[in-house]
Amino acid sequence: MITTHNLGFPRIGAKRELKFAVEKYWRGKLTESELQRLVTTLRQKHWQQQDNIDWIPVGDFSFYDQVLDASFILGNVPTRTNIDLHTELDAYFRVARGRSVGDTEASSIAASEMTKWFDTNYHYLVPEFSSTTEFKLQADRLLAQIDEALQLRDTIKPVIIGPLTYLWLGKSLDRTQPLDLLNKILPVYNELLELLFKRGIQWVQIDEPILATDLSAEWCEAFKNTYSRFSKNRPRILLASYFGQLRENLDWACELPVDGLHLDVSVSNSDVAQAIELLPADMILSLGVISGRNVWKSDLNTLLDWLEPIASRLQSRLWIAPSCSLLHVPVDLSNEEKIDREIAPWLAFAVQKLDELNILATALNDGRQAVADKLKDNAEAIAARTNSPRTRNLDVQQRVKDISADDTQRQSPFPARSIEQRQKLNLPIFPTTTIGSFPQTDEIRRTRRQFKSGNMPEPDYLKKMRSEIADCIKRQEQLGLDVLVHGEAERNDMVEYFGEQLIGCTFTEYGWVQSYGSRCVKPPIIYGDISRRQAMTVGWTEYAQSLTDKPVKGMLTGPVTILNWSFVRDDQPRQTTCAQLALAIRDEVLDLERVGINIIQIDEPAIREGLPLRHRDASAYLEWAIGCFRLAANGVRDETQIHTHMCYSEFNEIIQSITEMDADVITIEASRSNMELVNAFVDFEYPNDIGPGVYDIHSPNIPSTDQMVDRLQMVSEHLPQERLWVNPDCGLKTRKWDEVSPAIENMVTAASILRNLVAVN
Ligand code: GLN
Ligand code: ZN
């Protein structure tokens, strides 16, 4: 018999029940026991939705983040938390977000750092280590969930993050090397394994996704040492890797003394033949055949063609599963009532993916005829998608084929075109600008909602939005900014706004995916060749420019960011889809230029996060990603100034590629890291203009003029001042006007102080 299992289920709830419950708790509108009752119901529901699977995960539920859960289970809680003063849950939320219910500004603490979970769009809370770090098992919350699940069924599989991945994800506050902590952490894992064993748990899933990354010899050794030192009194271990192939890590991973190995075969199955040869004869091989990263229905018949010979060879040693936790996909397609009728049958969310798994297992165990109808339906859906004219636009395909090197090239190199831009724009030294969005007031959000739900006629909507733009322009003029923006009032989200207007993209009503904590995103679904129906931003920008003599900067989201923040079709290379997006944005850029917009910003905050996990795959990605940005940006005349913006980025690794983007101006997040992020640009001698953010927009605090003067002086010691811009870290849409106005006023004053200093010297 072939066994099915699941690695993790989305916890946020099909209608974001978890989000609303914890936010209510934070506002003090729900007691802890009410919250606990709510999430218990939610967990039960999720287990029931996995009824058709042999082994279901427990411990995949989290109030905020699974890595933070691991920190609590291991007793590695930052000392600033003062855990004794709070319930465990409040201590947990304080570490996660700085405060919990009842905390004030004064009683809050520094939240843990957050960063991307491998190459996904999910953010985890970074564990902190130092030489004084001690671990102590605190498994009560996990054990309670296990008991809860055991009341429903026996075949449950607790999920824990493995010790190596846990250490690898953390950051050291001193010189302690994460691996130095291995001897301290191992006993706690053993204690946990023994506890689970005593409870009668048969299988435990230990997640070690770092197996799919480049590991140094030291880390490989650490794996061997650690896994051979696990207690004998433990459940059987299913070692789970995901997000890529094991490649050179496969040999030794197959020799680890565990009871099963899970491989992600959703993108490539090139590890499998070797794994079958290498695995000891009593070890389980789990194949992650259903993608946990996208929303497309799997081609079950083709999968069966591949799986059947493997199944007949491995027999009951074969397990099948989704490739990774289903955390990264929406919950249930059957909630979608308004979804595009033709496209819906092409899709599978978490619940549907588990159905697919079940069909595969039945076919493998009882023969395809046992699920003949379902396989036929599946084949029809796959064929419908393949043959649908909606996925194809021959003109767009031809345009992609016709792209030439010339299309990605500016007319002249930066030094020459920058002279023309200076003449045209006539800006002072240290020009001031913002990143695009201004506060999204309740009024703005209400207007958008009313229009979208059909409760406001279009002319009224246009009028309202125009008055928001006019207000925004007036405020910017009063504040004395040099380069203005229209304010982005019409945008709910920088990707969704464009996705909604592009042909080849569709949207769901409940296709939410957890991004971090209670924050969810609803990624567009790119199903077909991309093209523009009509100009997407020109009307707003042109109107804004008509109100002022100052230059208004047009504001676009770049192709790579749209790609990386969407569910992307899997029937052609990502780079082809990205090139199509680039062409659409290029058309928009040229339209803006045509109506007299002289500065155009193309945001690319997500370039860095698309970087493959393996070093040797990085250059190919960067080459096409940068090429697509250049294709979008570089059709303009010399005198048109192209800006780009990036945030949340570690720039060091990709600084060469950022330079190759060849934007005239790049604005980056810098003040939050106290200008540290600028170093990459200094060291690399970044050749074009740069605006290192001097105002941390993530904080409600208003930066003082002095502070910003200091920051500017700090960078102007290392970068030529005639190439410096003055701007905030990022967009201001989450802030209030009474924070933004004084902050920008101080920023403008800071710029003028610097100008005076230049004039004097
Ligand atoms: N232009 C966008 C804004 O100002 C940029 C947002 C971002 O970088 N994430 O909101
Ligand atoms: Zn930003």
Side-chain angles (χ1 to χ4, degrees):
M1 287 294 270
I2 309 307
T3 298
T4 56
H5 73 107
N6 187 18
L7 282 77
F9 194 81
R11 54 218 174 206
I12 203 74
K15 303 226 163 139
R16 289 181 293 164
E17 292 87 337
L18 178 61
K19 168 197 176 68
F20 298 121
V22 295
E23 288 178 355
K24 210 163 162 189
Y25 174 73
W26 295 337
R27 288 196 305 270
K29 298 276 160 56
L30 206 65
T31 65
E32 174 162 351
S33 57
E34 284 168 331
L35 175 63
Q36 295 288 7
R37 253 201 311 281
L38 256 158
V39 300
T40 305
T41 319
L42 198 58
R43 278 195 296 261
Q44 309 254 342
K45 182 171 168 199
H46 294 166
W47 287 323
Q48 274 149 16
Q49 286 177 306
Q50 301 172 75
D51 223 12
N52 53 354
I53 299 303
D54 295 327
W55 291 89
I56 59 167
V58 177
D60 54 338
F61 172 83
S62 173
F63 276 110
Y64 204 95
D65 165 46
Q66 72 267 15
V67 181
L68 183 62
D69 289 12
S71 291
F72 270 75
I73 291 174
L74 297 166
N76 178 32
V77 181
T79 47
R80 63 178 181 280
T81 318
N82 211 345
I83 199 157
D84 303 336
L85 294 178
H86 302 269
T87 67
E88 200 207 0
L89 188 66
D90 285 323
Y92 176 88
F93 285 138
R94 283 162 58 83
V95 180
R97 51 193 291 277
R99 53 172 79 183
S100 184
V101 60
D103 274 313
T104 59
E105 183 77 51
S107 69
S108 65
I109 60 168
S112 283
E113 197 179 302
M114 206 160 56
T115 194
K116 295 261 172 181
W117 176 243
F118 298 89
D119 59 351
T120 74
N121 210 349
Y122 176 82
H123 305 68
Y124 72 92
L125 290 160
V126 180
E128 297 171 24
F129 305 128
S130 73
S131 59
T132 59
T133 298
E134 296 294 336
F135 300 97
K136 182 171 176 295
L137 187 65
Q138 295 179 340
D140 293 354
R141 220 184 320 159
L142 175 64
L143 294 176
Q145 284 174 36
I146 289 173
D147 291 341
E148 215 175 278
L150 281 172
Q151 292 184 355
L152 295 177
R153 57 195 280 178
D154 296 330
T155 47
I156 64 164
K157 171 170 57 74
V159 179
I160 51 180
I161 293 177
L164 280 313
T165 293
Y166 180 76
L167 292 174
W168 190 87
L169 292 171
K171 72 162 190 196
S172 179
L173 303 177
D174 52 28
R175 293 186 166 271
T176 306
Q177 295 296 313
L179 282 180
D180 294 346
L181 297 171
L182 209 44
N183 284 333
K184 285 188 182 175
I185 210 171
L186 189 63
V188 181
Y189 272 90
N190 271 332
E191 201 184 324
L192 176 61
L193 290 172
E194 284 171 14
L195 263 179
L196 296 178
F197 189 58
K198 263 197 225 127
R199 267 207 167 46
I201 294 296
Q202 301 174 53
W203 277 99
V204 60
Q205 172 188 324
I206 300 190
D207 284 359
E208 293 281 14
I210 63 168
L211 284 168
T213 68
D214 298 324
L215 292 175
S216 67
E218 200 188 4
W219 281 89
C220 302
E221 272 315 301
F223 258 101
K224 295 175 209 166
N225 290 334
T226 308
Y227 278 77
S228 60
R229 282 157 67 205
F230 275 152
S231 166
K232 298 284 168 280
N233 299 321
R234 57 164 175 78
R236 280 178 284 179
I237 293 175
L238 179 71
L239 179 62
S241 73
Y242 38 82
F243 300 150
Q245 296 125 266
L246 264 52
R247 299 187 188 175
E248 73 287 350
N249 299 330
L250 183 65
D251 293 18
W252 56 262
C254 286
E255 286 169 9
L256 293 173
V258 292
D259 307 276
L261 180 66
H262 171 82
L263 302 177
D264 177 343
V265 299
S266 62
V267 174
S268 160
N269 56 29
S270 63
D271 280 344
V272 174
Q274 203 189 346
I276 292 175
E277 292 308 321
L278 292 176
L279 279 182
D282 53 353
M283 229 165 104
I284 300 294
L285 176 62
S286 162
L287 297 180
V289 288
I290 307 279
S291 170
R293 295 284 293 274
N294 73 26
V295 290
W296 304 108
K297 199 168 258 183
S298 311
D299 180 348
L300 299 180
N301 294 283
T302 305
L303 267 175
L304 282 171
D305 292 343
W306 179 71
L307 276 171
E308 277 163 351
I310 299 177
S312 62
R313 172 146 179 206
L314 294 180
Q315 308 268 344
S316 59
R317 282 175 58 213
L318 176 64
W319 285 22
I320 55 173
S323 60
C324 58
S325 166
L326 296 171
L327 176 67
H328 310 288
V329 293
V331 181
D332 189 355
L333 185 65
S334 67
N335 289 322
E336 300 291 335
E337 284 170 9
K338 299 189 188 148
I339 195 165
D340 187 303
R341 286 291 178 90
E342 186 184 346
I343 292 167
W346 307 349
L347 303 176
F349 294 176
V351 169
Q352 288 69 38
K353 283 172 186 283
L354 295 178
D355 283 341
E356 292 182 343
L357 199 61
N358 191 255
I359 298 170
L360 286 176
T362 313
L364 291 172
N365 287 326
D366 307 333
R368 295 197 197 197
Q369 72 289 346
V371 276
D373 288 353
K374 289 178 176 158
L375 289 176
K376 186 163 160 274
D377 287 352
N378 178 266
E380 279 169 12
I382 299 294
R385 182 178 162 208
T386 312
N387 300 327
S388 168
R390 300 243 335 253
T391 63
R392 280 190 299 274
N393 179 328
L394 296 182
D395 293 341
V396 173
Q397 291 177 8
Q398 192 56 45
R399 265 189 91 186
V400 171
K401 286 198 192 106
D402 292 343
I403 294 169
S404 73
D406 263 5
D407 296 331
T408 64
Q409 204 62 43
R410 291 292 293 261
Q411 290 173 336
S412 310
F414 175 75
R417 62 183 198 254
S418 113
I419 294 172
E420 285 196 44
Q421 290 164 19
R422 272 168 220 268
Q423 275 164 4
K424 174 114 193 174
L425 296 168
N426 198 19
L427 294 169
I429 189 168
F430 294 113
T432 55
T433 190
T434 62
I435 306 305
S437 59
F438 271 102
Q440 298 238 326
T441 57
D442 291 343
E443 174 74 17
I444 290 178
R445 290 177 197 278
R446 199 174 326 117
T447 306
R448 267 202 323 258
R449 253 198 322 272
Q450 281 179 342
F451 174 57
K452 215 170 170 184
S453 60
N455 295 325
M456 184 184 285
E458 184 155 3
D460 293 4
Y461 174 70
L462 284 177
K463 212 165 122 200
K464 282 221 155 212
M465 283 296 146
R466 284 182 161 218
S467 87
E468 291 295 343
I469 291 173
D471 174 65
C472 189
I473 293 287
K474 198 166 100 206
R475 287 177 189 259
Q476 292 174 81
E477 287 196 316
Q478 280 165 358
L479 288 165
L481 284 159
D482 299 310
V483 172
L484 315 190
V485 294
H486 78 288
E488 300 182 27
E490 78 287 4
R491 300 185 195 175
N492 38 354
D493 173 271
M494 64 188 287
V495 168
E496 197 175 17
Y497 178 75
F498 291 92
E500 276 176 346
Q501 300 186 71
L502 289 168
I503 299 174
C505 249
T506 195
F507 283 85
T508 60
E509 217 176 335
Y510 302 106
W512 296 101
V513 179
Q514 191 175 9
S515 166
Y516 66 90
S518 67
R519 285 286 285 267
C520 300
V521 292
K522 193 145 62 72
I525 297 174
I526 301 180
Y527 65 86
D529 292 333
I530 294 290
S531 60
R532 260 186 349 158
R533 244 176 224 105
Q534 58 200 26
M536 303 180 281
T537 65
V538 175
W540 308 123
T541 317
E542 198 179 12
Y543 175 68
Q545 184 64 84
S546 75
L547 302 172
T548 177
D549 294 332
K550 298 256 176 97
V552 170
K553 175 162 70 165
M555 202 54 62
L556 304 173
T557 302
V560 188
T561 295
I562 299 180
L563 185 88
N564 283 340
W565 287 353
S566 299
F567 285 119
V568 182
R569 60 192 292 190
D570 58 355
D571 56 350
Q572 68 182 18
R574 283 172 79 83
Q575 70 190 83
T576 308
T577 305
C578 197
Q580 296 180 354
L581 289 163
L583 287 170
I585 299 297
R586 178 186 177 94
D587 292 346
E588 190 73 15
V589 167
L590 295 177
D591 278 351
L592 284 167
E593 184 182 54
R594 207 166 295 130
V595 300
I597 301 301
N598 296 318
I599 307 183
I600 299 160
Q601 176 172 314
I602 307 173
D603 291 327
E604 284 288 19
I607 280 199
R608 165 72 181 76
E609 71 188 55
L611 207 61
L613 295 177
R614 299 295 195 138
H615 197 68
R616 94 174 92 117
D617 302 336
S619 57
Y621 162 76
L622 286 170
E623 190 173 314
W624 63 254
I626 302 310
C628 285
F629 176 86
R630 294 173 59 110
L631 179 63
N634 287 356
V636 294
R637 295 191 298 265
D638 277 349
E639 65 198 38
T640 301
Q641 189 170 65
I642 297 288
H643 290 214
T644 190
H645 166 72
M646 284 184 197
C647 42
Y648 334 105
S649 284
E650 260 294 332
F651 299 111
N652 288 305
E653 235 179 314
I654 56 164
I655 185 72
Q656 166 83 38
S657 303
I658 293 177
T659 306
E660 285 163 12
M661 288 165 79
D662 199 22
D664 298 303
V665 183
I666 182 169
T667 56
I668 57 164
E669 176 180 306
S671 67
R672 209 163 43 141
S673 67
N674 202 23
M675 311 317 262
E676 220 177 82
L677 289 181
V678 182
N679 290 341
F681 292 83
V682 175
D683 296 343
F684 196 76
E685 297 183 26
Y686 183 75
N688 301 5
D689 283 13
I690 173 168
V694 290
Y695 160 17
D696 173 9
I697 59 93
H698 297 285
S699 156
N701 300 341
I702 295 160
S704 69
T705 303
D706 287 351
Q707 227 172 3
M708 290 191 275
V709 169
D710 282 351
R711 286 175 183 158
L712 283 167
Q713 280 184 317
M714 205 187 317
V715 289
S716 61
E717 278 168 28
H718 302 288
L719 290 165
Q721 49 194 20
E722 63 282 1
R723 285 202 263 118
L724 282 179
W725 285 65
V726 179
N727 48 263
D729 269 355
C730 191
L732 300 164
K733 71 177 192 181
T734 57
R735 300 259 66 92
K736 305 256 174 289
W737 273 112
D738 58 10
E739 298 156 353
V740 165
S741 296
I744 297 287
E745 198 176 318
N746 292 349
M747 188 184 88
V748 170
T749 311
S752 74
I753 291 175
L754 265 107
R755 281 172 204 155
N756 289 337
L757 286 174
V758 173
V760 172
N761 293 329

